[in-house]
Amino acid sequence: MIDLREFFNINISADRMVAELVYTEEYLANQELEVTAESVTKLLAEYNIKYGIQQSNVDQLVSNITLEDFPLKIAKGKEPIHGIDGKVDYKINFHPEIEKTDNWNFRDVMQIPSVEKGDKLVEISMPTTGVEGIDVYGNVVSSKPGKPVNLKPGKNVQFDEKSQSFFAEEVGQASMHGNLIQVHPVYEVTDTLSMKEGNLDFPGTIVIRGNVPSGFRVHAGGDVKIYGMVEAATILAKGSVYISEGFSGLHKGYMEAGENIHIGYINQGMVQTAGNLYVENSILHSDCVVGRELVCERGSIIGGQISAGETIQVNHVGNHMNTKTVLVLGRSHKELEKLEKLEAEKKEIEDTLEKLSIIGDKLSQTPNLESNPQLVATLKRQKASYDKNQAQLNSVNEQLRSMASNSDLNQAKLTVTGNLYGNTTITFGKYTRVMNTEHAQVEFELLRNEIYMRSI
């Protein structure tokens, strides 16, 4: 029987799922070679190929094959079928945002996901285990089981094991934070907030039908909706904040949201949101930190410092008086300031450690050190001080690592649909560009480590 190894090789794919027959130079010189089924079987056995042999291709090799038919698939394994992840079937819409069509009215800001007692909120399906495969060597190839759904019932929510569903136990607003499903009852103030109610601290949603005067504090575990205006007060919400009029903070008021903020205007206010900030009119002399997108399409940003993690869309920036205005993309200006302080602190600690190390080395090399109680005490203080500073350095380094930027500056963008006036500073991460002349309808991006401006 002819030994086909002189004329053919078998290549096995990296995943061991495909075996292909290729010819050698010896075969080119002996194309009239008579190949038998037995010799092919022997060749496969020598390569230890046991599963998925393509009999039709073996027959072709034996009876009638041309060079164009190579490489010839001689065996094919059975691919494993991986398990399907568990799925979540939402029975209500957990997102209060309204679809922004061409006719979108800025004041139409939300639809509260309200539920009645007993309403089904979410139904989940269990993952599947999958089906094992077999490679061309006959080995079992394990399948990956699907991942289960990681959801937990929170306040006023019950999970029914039989139906694999979550149900509301109270009337209120359904919300989902991370993997926790909750129902928050709504607390409503029917007029302007006053000493009758005092400061509000409520785990659900707060609705105020009037204004929030200076000095008050409103803290909600859900959303805050205010139908009037906010003066120099503090508004905190784990959800979103909706203010029909505006925020006149007098450089004392503070507003923070875990999700989005929708507002008429911001004047001398401090604002921070992990999500988006939508401003109907203008932002004046304020300090704003926005996690994702800032939209101020019909108004101006004049003065102050404004940061957005992703994009800023604004009509006008600055004014004819060239009021200094700072816009920061990709990271917040507060983070940049903290990073600068941490780097300075790190340098100071490292310098101190170097000096302490020199002192320690000199003390340790002192002859008859142990017979001098004063020097021994000094060395102990040096070691204690060194350990303390080393612990501080480790803490600073940990903070620097935790603040490592995950933002993609190449995706950040500033769009000015109206005028951009002089004395405007634009920053993308560590890159800064100062605009001293007026421009109209421009867009800024970071390209090849430079802040690039183009007309729109």
Side-chain angles (χ1 to χ4, degrees), residues 180-250:
L180 196 66
I181 303 175
Q182 303 182 78
V183 173
H184 302 288
V186 177
Y187 183 89
E188 184 170 344
V189 178
T190 58
D191 203 342
T192 292
L193 190 63
S194 66
M195 289 303 296
K196 178 182 176 182
E197 297 83 16
N199 293 328
L200 301 180
D201 190 345
F202 186 65
T205 291
I206 296 174
V207 176
I208 299 173
R209 299 288 175 179
N211 304 324
V212 179
S214 297
F216 281 94
R217 183 179 186 274
V218 177
H219 181 204
D223 297 335
V224 173
K225 184 170 184 180
I226 299 167
Y227 284 81
M229 69 168 291
V230 177
E231 296 178 356
T234 299
I235 309 295
L236 305 172
K238 290 185 178 179
S240 296
V241 174
Y242 308 91
I243 300 178
S244 298
E245 294 185 22
F247 181 28
S248 184
L250 302 175

Side-chain angles (χ1 to χ4, degrees), residues 87-94 113 115 119-124 149-160 164-169 173-184:
K87 295 183 180 179
V88 179
D89 182 11
Y90 296 99
K91 299 303 180 180
I92 65 168
N93 182 8
F94 281 89
V115 294
D119 282 355
K120 183 185 287 189
L121 309 176
V122 171
E123 185 176 330
I124 63 175
V149 174
N150 183 21
L151 285 180
K152 296 179 180 179
K155 186 176 181 179
N156 299 322
V157 174
Q158 182 182 32
F159 178 70
D160 179 66
Q164 293 289 296
S165 300
F166 295 82
F167 294 88
E169 291 186 313
Q173 179 191 355
S175 70
M176 183 177 294
H177 296 285
N179 66 341
L180 196 66
I181 303 175
Q182 303 182 78
V183 173
H184 302 288

Side-chain angles (χ1 to χ4, degrees), residues 286-299:
S286 296
D287 187 314
C288 301
V289 176
V290 182
R292 295 195 298 271
E293 177 186 48
L294 189 156
V295 180
C296 186
E297 291 181 329
R298 295 202 292 269

